[in-house]
Structures are given as structure tokens and as C-alpha cells.
Amino acid sequence: MTQKAESGLDIDLGNRCSAIARGWAGKTHATREGRPGEHARQRGAAYSSILAFGGQRLAITSDGIGTKIERAERGRRYDTRGWDLGARGVDDLAANGVEPTNLTNILDVDRLDERVVDELMRGLHAAASFAGIALSGGEIAELGSRIGGWGEGMHFNWCATAIGVVPQGNEPVDGSAVAPGDAVVAVRSRGFRSNGFSLVRKVMTQAFGERWHEAPYEDGRSWGEVLLTPSLVVSPLVAKLQRQGIAPHGIAHITGGGIPDKLGRVLRARGHGVQLDELWEPLDFMQAVQRLGNVPDERAYRQWNMGNAMLLIVAPADVEPTLVLARELGYSARRAGSVHPEPVIRLRSKSAGGADLSYPVSEDGGKA
Amino acid sequence: MTQKAESGLDIDLGNRCSAIARGWAGKTHATREGRPGEHARQRGAAYSSILAFGGQRLAITSDGIGTKIERAERGRRYDTRGWDLGARGVDDLAANGVEPTNLTNILDVDRLDERVVDELMRGLHAAASFAGIALSGGEIAELGSRIGGWGEGMHFNWCATAIGVVPQGNEPVDGSAVAPGDAVVAVRSRGFRSNGFSLVRKVMTQAFGERWHEAPYEDGRSWGEVLLTPSLVVSPLVAKLQRQGIAPHGIAHITGGGIPDKLGRVLRARGHGVQLDELWEPLDFMQAVQRLGNVPDERAYRQWNMGNAMLLIVAPADVEPTLVLARELGYSARRAGSVHPEPVIRLRSKSAGGADLSYPVSEDGGKA
């Protein structure tokens, strides 16, 4: 569950339900002890479950693209949503230093539309090809009135499970190797990820009414088009870094809860913090949404990635090779800051507000 | 996609959409060739995707419990639905001779209700414990009006991904070892599986109106209670058979499309057929639904499992040890028939109709 207070959802209830689910799941882990599928101990940031199969360690993670689908329905354009679905899974694996290998997907629809299914799957194929993974199974379920959505046409919910391998000779990345003096490299994002869209929608509806997607954005495109910007997939950068012998000490995939939550989870493994003076600027349209909604920087950084898709914590000597490789692979990356011993995330907002912000690295990863 | 003509869904459209999805997925498989996550060649019945990770072969499959959830909503009882969700995944793996090890789940809800989440997860925990698997990740997503359902309270859709291992020294089971003279052992089911419920609902609504779940069944329980009967999980029987050195030649997990489709897929690997004179009788309430809907036996066997959860094709000498082990583990199993060279499934209906039925084993597994 992610922080959703801004969108009117009950965070505490969500956290309690997640805790209930985790509780029941945890009781089952002993059943695989000493057998294939045994859970590895995970003390730091767990973006995925690490499982041992003989000498091979795999990881698995499941997620959906949630309410972001509404953007496709409003724009009547579906071929970019596969990037969102793919990015969720493979970049969560990458954040644990896992090389993604395969992905399955389940598409729940109210009724079928061949053209829409084709566009969705074409996009997922493109994202999978980019990430170097195989689509290894899927299911389309017609659920009638159990599925709803915006406007006319086929409505759907879409989720996926990604698996991957911990490269031989490597340990999973979970933040436990983070040390004061380490550098933070920020990889630039292309837009909002799947999370935080409930707030985006609320802001847009208040600003432009129910048909906000038709409102013009300043560059001449409609807001609907602007917000269709697909997610960036960063996992190939992490995999290639590892193949070159560069082992990040911690990786934060910035999704729900933003940098305070997702980097906080990585930092709490050692109880350190960071000073981030040179994060990427939020994309122009992201800042425009923030302005429209009068969302203070402090909250915006808790809701959205604010221009940063992934933060890599590396040894100082690894900064330059990381930036060079990122450039070679077409990513925008830069040194954004460094690790200090105090358990606090301090960052200079790159939004118009420009405030100096501070978030605690608490027991529960900085969650409110 | 499963056959749903009886419930008014467009089978051809469903098949075309599935083919589109498979087409895009297939184009990605080459990307893992010679690397972890490589697809194994699968010629026979593929209930799951078999993937190679070094010397270890794993399998993965994703599925949801679809419209069967409505039964929980009508009965206001949620703790048995985890058995349906768990059974789908682990028994699909078992049908390929794979030992299930881990399962992730995604619960999409309109709004959260702690009590319902707790009941659902308690049931999934029970099914996982029975199957000897670990629950290794999950996600709860609040999707508001994107999720609908019956009556008051929390509505949800629930899907899962199961993974498992091909036991060392074994080959995946896909029907390619099936030979004339082999025996078919039928494991008895406890009720309708997740599939085919659209037809059940249609029949019940026509017979008893919108609040059919409150109508009394002949044993004094309500129809709602009767139809909550949770799925049986058969994977532990298959795993234990394999550990005892008994290798089934083919395994059919009877879900959507019934015996004609699911056994057909197994048989088409070699182009043989079966004569099934001693299948289990459909459960009383299953026959009652059939009578209420005037569903002819021929169609009923295409829609429902008709009392048979799984069919195991084994060498004649393995029948007795299979039956003994099944009894030890608490399953009801019996020899139901045998394999013959002609590509046709002949079965004697065990429903009141008692007809002799015949279904072709065609290229596409007997699908209409």
C-alpha cells in the first residue's frame, strides 16, 4: 500500500490490511525451509521476495498498474500502458540487484475489444524487449460488471508478476552495504509512474472538470496526451552495471511514497541518511500538476517521483563509470548527493517551490 | 480463455484475443535463449511455462478466480475463496508434473474491509499450508470504481502467480508419454471449480431469481452455502507420486472446457484417445444445477468438471500404487478408464442423463 491521503484513501486502513496479508503469508514461509523456494533472509529494502532454488537465487514480485489505466481510457490510446506494467515489475527486481528474466500478466476486462488487447500487448512486448525479458504466460479474464472504468470501450485492470535471478557471485542489493560517503546517482524519469495517479486525477478534475484530458497543455498537446507518457524501464542499466563489476550498495525504485518512502527503505538497513542537492528537476508537466493542485513540495515528493525514476547508491569511485554507462545506454543520470550518518533524508526541492526538505529515515522506512 | 458460450460470452472473440496475446508474448521468448529464464520446448499440454535456470527447471502460471467471487459476496463468507485461488495455480503446475513452491497474489478491491481481507488471506494461508507452498509476495490495490461486484460490502478481484520446480531427474509431464493401454485414474472433486460459474449463475438466476443464493437446497442448506464448497487441492498427491518414482504419463487438471478440453490437450500430444466408463459421479448439487438449467450431459461435461478434479494417465502397473497413495492422503480416486489409439474421448456420463458421449481429440485439444 502506498500513501494515498491526498486522494482521500485511508492510509492507516491500507497499512493494516497489508499487515494482515503479510502476517498470513509469513506463517507459510517455514514450509519451504531447506527445500526449493526457500525464502532468503531479507533485512533491508525488499522490493521482491528472494527465493533459493538449489544454488540459484531467484526473485519474484507482483504488481498492477492501478488507476493509471484511466489515462489510457481517456486518451483512447493503449500502446504505452505495457511500459508502465513492465516497468513496475522489472525495476522492482532491479532495485534488489536482480536481473529480470520473465513476466506473466493477467488482464481482467469487462468485455473484450481485439484492437485494445492488441495495443496493450504490443506495448508490453516492446517493454519486455527493451528489458530483455520473456513474456512467459498470461491470462485474459472476462469479468463483466466486476470491472469498471472511464468512458466507453473496453475497461480493464492489468497486473503482472516478474521473476529474475540474482547474478551468480552477487548478493541481493538491499541497502545493507550503504556507508557514509557513498554517492547517490539519480536516473531521470519520463513522467508519473503508476503510483500517485489518484492525486493527479483529483487535481486535474478540480482544475478542468470531468473531461480534463481534453484541456490543452501549454505545449499544444492535450493533458490526456501529456499524461500518457510511458514509464521508463531502468533495469537494463542495473544489470549492465553488475556485469561490469559495479555493485550498487543500495537502489531505490521511486514509486508510491516517493523518495521519502522508497529511499527510506533502503537507508534504514544501516540507519544512515542522505543529502540530495542535485536531484533531477520534475518534468514541466509534473510541476504544472503540482501548481494546479497547490501541492506543497513536501507532499509532492511523498507522492511522485518528481523527475527521478531510480536512485543508485554507489561507492564514490563508481560514480563516473555509472554515469558513463548510463549515457551509453541512453539514460539521463547525474550525481545527486551523498550518504551521511544521520538517519534523515534532506533534499533540495527542484520544483518551483525550491524548499529544503527533510524526512526522517524511521523504523518503517519513513512512512507517515 | 475458456468456453463460455452457455453464459453468452463470445468464444471466438475470446480465442482471438488470447491468440493475439500469445503472439506478442511468443516474440519475446528468443530474448532469453541460452540465458536464465529460457523457455523449454513444450509440445504437449502446457498448463504452465517451463523455464530453465541453469540446471534447474522452474514453471510459472498465472490465473484468477474470476466470477466465482460472487459466491463469496452472496454468502458473505470469504474464507474458502483462497482454496479456489490456490488450487488454480498449484494444480496447473501439478498437471505438468511440477512441484509447486511459491505463490504471489494480487487483490484488487474497490474499498478495503479488514475483516474480509483477513478472511481471504486466512483461507489462502490454509490452502498454501495444505499444498506445502510459501506465500511469497502480494499486493493489495484500492481501485475504487474500477472494481465492481454483487451487493454490499467490499468487492474484489483476486489473482495469483504460482511457481514451482520440475523435480530433479524428472521431465515435465505433458502427455507425450501417453500410450494405448495406459490407465486413467480419476481424482474426485468437491464441487465446481472457478470456471463455469457464469453458467451456474445464469441457471440459478433463471430458477430462483436475483436472490437465488437464499433459496433452499434439498439438504436444508441455502444454495449460496452449497456453492461455496471450496476447491480441492490435488498437487500434494502428484508430488508424492513422483517422489515414490511413479511418473504419470499425462495429467489433466479439469477446469474450463471440462474433460473434452483439458484431457484433450493432454491426449493430442500423441493423438490418442480414451474410454472413460467409470468417472466419478457429479456431486448431487452439481447434478441439481444441471437439471435446473436443462443442461444436456454433452454440454455439462464441456462446462464443468462433473465430479472429477484431476485425471492421471499412468502405466497399468502404477494404478494400484496410485490408488493406495491417494487413499493414504485422503483423496477419493478410482480407475476411470483407459487409453486407446483413436483420437476420441468416449465417456459414459455419470449424470442422471447417463448418455454415452464422444468428443474428438482435435488439433486444438477438442475445443469447439
Side-chain angles (χ1 to χ4, degrees):
Chain A
M1 306 306 299
T2 56
Q3 294 194 326
K4 294 181 178 169
E6 305 310 315
S7 59
L9 297 179
D10 181 338
I11 295 177
D12 287 341
L13 176 61
N15 287 341
R16 286 200 305 276
C17 287
S18 293
I20 288 168
R22 272 199 308 276
W24 284 113
K27 289 182 206 292
T28 64
H29 292 184
T31 191
R32 299 307 308 173
E33 259 171 36
R35 302 160 69 196
E38 178 175 15
H39 273 253
R41 266 183 92 171
Q42 292 180 270
R43 268 176 292 197
Y47 285 91
S48 59
S49 298
I50 313 279
L51 310 170
F53 291 89
Q56 179 85 71
R57 276 174 301 182
L58 275 84
I60 188 166
T61 182
S62 295
D63 210 348
I65 51 171
T67 55
K68 190 171 182 179
I69 291 166
E70 190 184 304
R71 271 179 275 192
E73 291 168 345
R74 286 176 179 268
R76 310 284 286 174
R77 210 187 137 189
Y78 301 90
D79 60 340
T80 51
R81 292 289 72 82
W83 287 88
D84 298 328
L85 186 67
R88 292 302 301 261
V90 300
D91 282 1
D92 270 354
L93 292 179
N96 279 142
V98 172
E99 180 190 334
T101 58
N102 308 83
L103 185 130
T104 69
N105 74 98
I106 296 181
L107 180 65
D108 287 342
V109 307
D110 52 355
R111 59 187 176 284
L112 285 165
D113 180 327
E114 269 178 280
R115 184 189 67 85
V116 176
V117 170
D118 186 58
E119 285 197 28
L120 292 173
M121 293 300 169
R122 180 170 1 121
L124 187 59
H125 163 267
S129 300
F130 181 86
I133 61 168
L135 299 175
S136 303
E139 171 78 8
I140 303 176
E142 284 181 74
L143 299 181
S145 60
R146 303 197 68 80
I147 301 294
W150 190 90
E152 299 298 304
M154 176 183 121
H155 302 116
F156 59 100
N157 290 317
W158 206 12
C159 61
T161 297
I163 61 172
V165 291
V166 179
Q168 293 291 348
N170 286 33
E171 285 301 309
V173 176
D174 64 0
S176 57
V178 170
D182 280 351
V184 180
V185 170
V187 180
R188 191 172 200 193
S189 80
R190 293 201 291 217
F192 296 103
R193 302 223 104 172
S194 308
N195 303 92
F197 185 62
S198 296
L199 176 57
V200 172
R201 185 178 45 189
K202 190 178 162 198
V203 168
M204 300 309 286
T205 306
Q206 283 175 354
F208 301 113
E210 170 52 26
R211 298 191 71 82
W212 55 260
H213 55 284
E214 294 167 353
Y217 178 62
E218 53 205 51
D219 65 2
R221 289 182 297 168
S222 69
W223 267 108
E225 283 175 88
V226 169
L227 292 180
L228 276 168
T229 311
S231 294
L232 182 70
V233 171
V234 189
S235 63
L237 171 60
V238 176
K240 196 142 188 190
L241 278 175
Q242 292 184 309
R243 277 200 292 278
Q244 294 195 355
I246 297 173
H249 296 169
I251 305 175
H253 177 205
I254 311 303
T255 54
I259 290 174
D261 181 32
K262 288 302 187 284
L263 181 60
R265 288 186 190 197
V266 175
L267 291 169
R268 72 176 154 171
R270 306 296 296 185
H272 299 317
V274 289
Q275 180 81 36
L276 300 171
D277 288 340
E278 296 299 335
L279 288 168
W280 287 101
E281 276 195 7
L283 300 152
D284 288 344
F285 63 82
M286 204 174 261
Q287 295 192 52
V289 173
Q290 196 190 341
R291 278 194 307 273
L292 284 169
N294 287 316
V295 181
D297 286 7
E298 196 278 343
R299 281 197 230 151
Y301 274 93
R302 281 188 183 276
Q303 284 284 334
W304 301 318
N305 64 52
M306 298 300 275
N308 306 278
M310 197 176 265
L311 301 178
L312 303 165
I313 302 178
V314 297
D318 287 337
V319 172
E320 200 48 39
T322 299
L323 296 179
V324 167
L325 182 62
R327 200 156 44 233
E328 281 174 15
L329 295 178
Y331 295 96
S332 298
R334 69 183 189 198
R335 182 179 176 136
S338 58
V339 175
H340 56 222
E342 309 93 286
V344 60
I345 295 171
R346 290 198 198 94
L347 66 86
R348 181 164 304 154
S349 167
K350 293 292 173 177
S351 187
D356 281 321
L357 303 172
S358 175
Y359 302 88
V361 174
S362 57
E363 275 285 296
D364 60 355
K367 274 197 174 175
Chain B
M1 306 306 301
T2 56
Q3 296 193 325
K4 293 183 180 171
E6 304 309 316
S7 58
L9 297 178
D10 182 337
I11 295 177
D12 287 341
L13 176 60
N15 288 341
R16 287 201 303 277
C17 288
S18 293
I20 288 168
R22 273 198 307 274
W24 284 114
K27 290 182 207 293
T28 64
H29 291 184
T31 191
R32 300 305 309 173
E33 259 171 37
R35 302 160 69 198
E38 177 175 15
H39 273 253
R41 266 183 90 172
Q42 291 180 270
R43 270 177 291 199
Y47 286 92
S48 59
S49 298
I50 313 278
L51 309 170
F53 290 89
Q56 178 85 72
R57 277 175 300 183
L58 275 83
I60 187 165
T61 183
S62 293
D63 210 348
I65 51 172
T67 55
K68 191 171 181 180
I69 291 166
E70 191 184 305
R71 271 179 273 191
E73 292 169 345
R74 285 175 179 269
R76 311 283 287 173
R77 208 187 138 187
Y78 301 91
D79 61 340
T80 52
R81 293 288 72 81
W83 286 88
D84 298 328
L85 186 67
R88 294 301 302 262
V90 300
D91 282 1
D92 271 354
L93 292 180
N96 278 141
V98 172
E99 180 189 336
T101 58
N102 307 82
L103 186 130
T104 69
N105 75 99
I106 296 182
L107 180 65
D108 287 343
V109 307
D110 53 354
R111 59 186 176 286
L112 285 164
D113 180 326
E114 269 179 280
R115 185 189 67 86
V116 176
V117 171
D118 186 58
E119 285 197 28
L120 291 173
M121 294 300 170
R122 182 172 358 124
L124 187 59
H125 163 267
S129 301
F130 181 86
I133 61 168
L135 299 176
S136 302
E139 171 77 9
I140 303 175
E142 283 181 75
L143 299 181
S145 60
R146 303 197 69 81
I147 301 294
W150 190 91
E152 299 297 306
M154 176 183 122
H155 303 115
F156 59 100
N157 291 317
W158 206 12
C159 62
T161 297
I163 61 172
V165 291
V166 179
Q168 293 290 350
N170 285 35
E171 285 303 309
V173 176
D174 63 0
S176 57
V178 169
D182 280 352
V184 180
V185 170
V187 179
R188 192 171 199 194
S189 80
R190 291 201 292 216
F192 296 102
R193 299 221 108 174
S194 309
N195 305 94
F197 185 63
S198 295
L199 176 57
V200 172
R201 185 178 45 190
K202 190 177 161 199
V203 168
M204 300 308 286
T205 305
Q206 283 175 353
F208 301 112
E210 170 52 26
R211 299 192 69 83
W212 56 259
H213 56 284
E214 294 168 352
Y217 177 62
E218 52 205 51
D219 65 1
R221 289 182 296 167
S222 68
W223 267 107
E225 282 175 89
V226 169
L227 292 178
L228 275 169
T229 311
S231 294
L232 183 70
V233 171
V234 189
S235 63
L237 171 60
V238 176
K240 195 141 190 193
L241 278 174
Q242 292 184 309
R243 277 200 292 277
Q244 294 194 356
I246 297 172
H249 296 170
I251 305 174
H253 177 204
I254 311 302
T255 55
I259 290 174
D261 181 31
K262 288 301 186 287
L263 182 60
R265 290 185 189 197
V266 175
L267 292 169
R268 71 176 155 173
R270 306 297 296 186
H272 300 316
V274 290
Q275 181 80 38
L276 300 171
D277 289 341
E278 296 298 338
L279 289 167
W280 287 100
E281 277 196 8
L283 300 153
D284 288 343
F285 63 82
M286 203 175 262
Q287 295 193 52
V289 173
Q290 195 191 342
R291 279 194 307 274
L292 284 169
N294 288 314
V295 181
D297 285 7
E298 196 278 345
R299 281 197 231 150
Y301 273 92
R302 282 189 184 275
Q303 285 284 333
W304 301 317
N305 65 51
M306 299 299 275
N308 306 277
M310 197 175 265
L311 300 179
L312 303 165
I313 303 177
V314 297
D318 287 337
V319 172
E320 200 48 39
T322 299
L323 296 179
V324 168
L325 181 62
R327 200 156 43 233
E328 281 175 14
L329 295 178
Y331 295 96
S332 299
R334 69 185 189 196
R335 182 177 178 138
S338 58
V339 176
H340 56 223
E342 310 93 285
V344 60
I345 295 170
R346 291 199 197 93
L347 66 84
R348 181 163 306 152
S349 168
K350 293 292 174 178
S351 187
D356 281 321
L357 303 171
S358 175
Y359 304 87
V361 174
S362 56
E363 276 284 297
D364 60 354
K367 274 196 174 177

